[in-house]
Amino acid sequence: MKILYFAWLRGKTGVGEEDVDPPAQIADVRGLVEWLKTRSAGHADAFADLSLVRVAVNQDHVQPDHALNPGDEVAFFPPVTGG
Amino acid sequence: MIRVQAEDFDPGAELSRFRQTTTDVGAVATFLGLVRGDGGLIAMTLDHYPGMTERQLEAIEAEARRRWPLADALVIHRHGRLLPGDNIVFVATASTHRQAAFEACEFLMDWLKTKAPFWKFEEHAQGGAWVEAKSTDDAAAARWE
């Protein structure tokens, strides 16, 4: 599974992109976040306040209960500020 | 049409080209967004999610075309490091009458600001910080729900 981080989430995790192989019992975005938090202190810090984090799966905005599949591209980022 | 690019664009040239590609049009509305240099801003860097950005902008344009009778629509959005006064975004809409052109132009900007994956990083003399999203932008986008 490919994970992407943007804006300050990239700064806190220290990576822009990583390939991960989460355990099979992780079924949705919420579960993935809890598992990613265990990867490093930076990851835990990035996901400390989930009200500040938005997520996209396969480049579409989704909610935390969105179900995941092994080949998904999952991106984490703050609320967008373009325009 | 959607364009996401690092390089600058010429709003006048874009408008001239845009108005020539369409016929049976009575109204063209445009919006040009610039880097505001207040508060001692040195530069603004726009981060984005290549692929998703284009995908989301195309979806927003399709939604505008579904809601209003548009002859054409154009969205240009820059990324990378920009300076005060630089162009950031250009939106143009063409329709038979002005109301559809105005409304669709405003809709495109409102939805773009809350759905397209861009993030602004501001540099000041005392350091840099990511811009926080505004609740007023969410409210502006929600008007169209």
Side-chain angles (χ1 to χ4, degrees), chain B residues 114 132-142:
Chain B
T114 55
E132 287 186 23
K134 296 190 191 79
S135 58
T136 49
D137 288 338
D138 286 335

Side-chain angles (χ1 to χ4, degrees), chain B residues 97-111:
Chain B
H97 300 290
R98 73 180 184 282
Q99 187 181 0
F102 273 136
E103 288 182 3
C105 187
E106 197 169 11
F107 167 85
L108 284 165
M109 275 308 301
D110 284 346
W111 270 34

Side-chain angles (χ1 to χ4, degrees), chain A residues 10 60-61 73 78 81 83, chain B residues 47 49 55 115 118-120:
Chain A
R10 182 175 49 224
D60 279 323
H61 295 284
E73 176 176 299
T81 56
Chain B
D47 187 13
Y49 181 174
R55 183 180 165 85
K115 296 180 194 298
F118 288 99
W119 302 275
K120 289 176 178 145

Side-chain angles (χ1 to χ4, degrees), chain B:
Chain B
M1 180 196 254
I2 296 302
R3 277 162 46 199
V4 180
Q5 60 189 54
E7 59 270 23
D8 195 13
F9 55 85
D10 177 342
E14 296 296 343
L15 176 57
S16 295
R17 197 174 306 125
F18 183 79
R19 76 183 299 291
Q20 284 165 15
T21 57
T22 54
T23 55
D24 297 334
V25 162
V28 171
T30 62
F31 174 82
L32 175 64
L34 309 169
V35 178
R36 204 172 57 244
D38 57 358
L41 182 81
I42 294 169
M44 175 180 281
T45 299
L46 275 139
D47 187 13
H48 77 122
Y49 181 174
M52 181 173 173
T53 307
E54 290 82 354
R55 183 180 165 85
Q56 291 297 317
L57 289 176
E58 281 164 7
I60 295 165
E61 182 195 347
E63 182 62 22
R65 287 176 179 273
R66 196 181 65 77
R67 293 184 183 212
W68 289 278
L70 298 180
D72 202 359
L74 171 66
V75 177
I76 305 172
H77 203 303
R78 294 180 69 193
H79 60 86
R81 190 170 184 270
L82 308 177
L83 302 176
D86 280 356
N87 300 312
I88 303 178
V89 59
F90 183 77
V91 174
T93 50
S95 191
T96 319
H97 300 290
R98 73 180 184 282
Q99 187 181 0
F102 273 136
E103 288 182 3
C105 187
E106 197 169 11
F107 167 85
L108 284 165
M109 275 308 301
D110 284 346
W111 270 34
L112 178 161
K113 284 186 88 83
T114 55
K115 296 180 194 298
F118 288 99
W119 302 275
K120 289 176 178 145
F121 183 84
E122 291 183 341
E123 292 172 46
H124 293 89
Q126 60 271 37
W130 292 99
V131 173
E132 287 186 23
K134 296 190 191 79
S135 58
T136 49
D137 288 338
D138 286 335
R143 287 184 303 151
W144 305 100
E145 298 288 354

Side-chain angles (χ1 to χ4, degrees), chain A residues 12-79:
Chain A
K12 290 194 174 188
T13 59
V15 290
E17 179 178 336
E18 57 187 350
D19 282 307
V20 300
D21 191 9
Q25 68 265 28
I26 287 175
D28 62 10
V29 169
R30 191 175 280 116
L32 176 66
V33 166
E34 291 307 312
W35 181 76
L36 288 170
K37 281 162 86 169
T38 66
R39 286 178 71 82
S40 77
H43 285 72
D45 187 29
F47 292 116
D49 183 353
L50 294 178
S51 72
L52 303 176
V53 179
R54 299 292 178 268
V55 60
V57 172
N58 300 327
Q59 305 189 350
D60 279 323
H61 295 284
V62 299
Q63 296 300 314
D65 62 355
H66 185 88
L68 292 173
N69 294 302
D72 283 345
E73 176 176 299
V74 184
F76 295 100
F77 44 79

